Amino acid sequence: MSCSALGRRLVACLLNISEARRRDLVETVARAAITDTHALATALTERVAGTSAFLFGWADSPQRRGLAQRRKEIGWFKKVKDMSSIQPDVGPQATRRYGITGVGACPYVMNCNVTIDTQDLALGRIVALAIRESSSGGIPGVQVMALPHEGVMEIACNVESVQGGPPSSSSYGQEQWPSFAIGGQNFCHAPASLITERVAELARHHGVAIKGTALVGFTPRECRRLAERALSNGIGEFWKELQRVHM
């Protein structure tokens, strides 16, 4: 790959598509993800007969509905799903055998999972609701669920970027929100420290302490640094280097 704008974005994308070991497959998926997610979804349903997909984020044009909203709309969280009621965006009617696959793209997302020292699922849901973006006073860009995890409760957050600058309210912390630009548009995302502090405060009101915070994914700045490193050193299979890179 040449050191072009597309090349930089492609290598950055490769950093997070690390499960596969075939370079051609990974590069095809990454290139599709940053150029045409609808084509990727179509290719999937054509390659694997019987599969279907729904679109979210930038792939869901022009609404650009988030993953959490799309999951709710198709009944993702229901224990018993009525597959006949699901209307896929791509492919045939969804079936129990194949389910339905979500395909989407967004400027940036990471996972910030804060564990609180309790097994009380109801309390975990109270904390999750309080910081969820859709709640009054919630943190912009944060989609969250409370999940039992190894004897404690995990407040599992998807932290997505939001367009524009960070909120001006002091309730969103004093730390500067990480920011970046794509195609002349500015984006930022909530820092992990703010999420941890908010969860700790809410849990403390119920006499519960936090046990720790785990981050999954690179910050935009770190992603760019690693992409430039891969390009400058001609590392075409950067996922093999990830064992020596800490997220």
Side-chain angles (χ1 to χ4, degrees):
M1 288 181 292
S2 63
C3 187
S4 61
L6 177 60
R8 290 183 183 277
R9 291 161 59 200
L10 178 56
V11 173
C13 187
L14 291 179
L15 295 172
N16 289 319
I17 305 179
S18 57
E19 290 80 6
R21 291 296 179 267
R22 286 174 47 197
R23 177 177 177 177
D24 62 328
L25 174 62
V26 174
E27 290 190 355
T28 298
V29 171
R31 188 177 296 278
I34 60 176
T35 56
D36 190 346
T37 46
H38 193 281
L40 176 61
T42 300
L44 169 65
T45 58
E46 291 177 348
R47 179 74 63 87
V48 184
T51 59
S52 54
F54 69 89
L55 305 175
F56 66 91
W58 285 23
D60 177 43
S61 180
Q63 300 98 319
R64 291 187 177 179
R65 290 166 291 182
L67 178 58
Q69 180 181 348
R70 295 305 333 268
R71 282 176 167 174
K72 288 181 180 178
E73 289 173 352
I74 67 173
W76 187 280
F77 302 112
K78 294 181 179 179
K79 291 184 178 180
V80 179
K81 300 178 179 64
D82 179 8
M83 303 300 290
S84 65
S85 67
I86 297 176
Q87 298 299 319
D89 296 313
V90 182
Q93 177 63 51
T95 64
R96 288 193 176 278
R97 179 176 182 182
Y98 294 102
I100 187 166
T101 301
V103 178
C106 60
Y108 175 76
V109 64
M110 74 168 181
N111 296 110
C112 177
N113 302 327
V114 185
T115 52
I116 58 177
D117 195 11
T118 181
Q119 297 182 6
D120 187 344
L121 179 58
L123 173 57
R125 287 173 173 169
I126 290 173
V127 173
L129 177 63
I131 66 172
R132 186 172 293 140
E133 177 183 37
S134 58
S135 298
S136 176
I139 303 174
V142 173
Q143 300 174 3
V144 55
M145 295 179 63
L147 303 169
H149 179 70
E150 297 181 352
V152 293
M153 292 304 305
E154 182 175 80
I155 310 303
C157 305
N158 275 358
V159 185
E160 296 186 353
S161 56
V162 293
Q163 192 165 357
S168 57
S169 173
S170 60
S171 62
Y172 294 116
Q174 300 301 315
E175 181 180 344
Q176 183 176 0
W177 285 37
S179 59
F180 58 98
I182 297 178
Q185 299 182 58
N186 295 321
F187 297 88
C188 64
H189 69 86
S193 60
L194 169 62
I195 296 171
T196 302
E197 291 170 6
R198 187 73 67 84
V199 170
E201 178 183 1
L202 291 163
R204 190 165 52 246
H205 288 164
H206 297 272
V208 174
I210 67 170
K211 297 199 68 175
T213 299
L215 303 181
V216 182
F218 298 99
T219 65
R221 185 173 299 174
E222 181 70 1
C223 196
R224 176 179 176 178
R225 186 186 70 79
L226 293 171
E228 291 178 343
R229 171 183 153 192
L231 287 166
S232 62
N233 290 282
I235 306 174
E237 297 180 322
F238 194 80
W239 54 88
K240 293 182 178 179
E241 302 290 317
L242 290 180
Q243 293 180 356
R244 295 189 290 274
V245 177
H246 299 282
M247 291 189 279

